[in-house]
Amino acid sequence: TLRHQSKVKHATSSKIAMASLCAPALPMRNQATFRSKVQKSLAVKSAPGAVAMRRCTTTAFSDTQLIISGCNAVALGLGRFVFLPEVRKKTGMQGPGVQNGVSHFEAGDVRAQEAYGVFATGDPAGFTIIDVLAWGSIGHAIGYCALAVSSFNELLA
């Protein structure tokens, strides 16, 4: 039986080898075949009955960009001219931190003094980069909500 199994294995492996020799070879892609395919496609495109390709036009400002930019501008304007004076007034009324009737800086905490130069801007009201980032993100959130509502209304229509 061992001899029979080895003969079957040998016959099977020789059949596989013969099949691989007889298998058709796949065409290789070379420069000539590529050139001919390009020429064929160009001939089809320039044929008199061929459908002309439709051009896609882009606009400088889409509705989405206008909505996001408009909401951003409104939020930044409200933050700078409406809410900032009120926030600064309430912060000024609080005053510096006090411990046992003495401010933290006067009590010896050197790091308790405000770092004015870090967030200094040229804005007369003191609108800092933190304010710009905060109000800008609020504007983006409002804009995306407006876009979501408008797309939802289009689905219902």
Side-chain angles (χ1 to χ4, degrees):
T1 56
L2 190 57
R3 204 182 237 177
H4 177 69
Q5 287 176 351
S6 67
K7 284 183 182 180
V8 170
K9 284 183 185 177
H10 180 67
T12 307
S13 64
S14 65
K15 286 181 184 177
I16 292 173
M18 289 299 259
S20 66
L21 290 175
C22 298
L26 295 175
M28 295 298 291
R29 202 164 223 209
N30 57 21
Q31 193 68 21
T33 58
F34 180 72
R35 235 185 264 131
S36 67
K37 288 184 180 187
V38 170
Q39 288 171 351
K40 285 179 188 176
S41 70
L42 289 175
V44 168
K45 286 180 185 174
S46 62
V51 177
M53 293 180 66
R54 194 176 81 185
R55 291 192 176 200
C56 181
T57 58
T58 58
T59 58
F61 295 105
S62 68
D63 292 340
T64 304
Q65 292 169 335
L66 290 175
I67 289 173
I68 296 293
S69 298
C71 289
N72 234 357
V74 168
L76 286 168
L78 285 173
R80 165 64 174 82
F81 297 109
V82 176
F83 293 111
L84 185 70
E86 290 298 316
V87 169
R88 295 290 186 249
K89 187 179 359 175
K90 289 185 180 184
T91 305
M93 286 176 19
Q94 278 182 326
V98 178
Q99 174 181 340
N100 298 331
V102 180
S103 71
H104 294 296
F105 183 70
E106 291 172 357
D109 189 2
V110 181
R111 296 183 185 169
Q113 188 177 11
E114 286 189 34
Y116 291 106
V118 176
F119 300 115
T121 61
D123 187 38
F127 204 64
T128 65
I129 188 69
I130 304 300
D131 296 322
V132 171
L133 291 173
W135 287 102
S137 62
I138 290 170
H140 272 80
I142 293 170
Y144 284 121
C145 287
L147 287 173
V149 167
S150 69
S151 70
F152 183 69
N153 287 337
E154 288 175 8
L155 288 175
L156 292 178

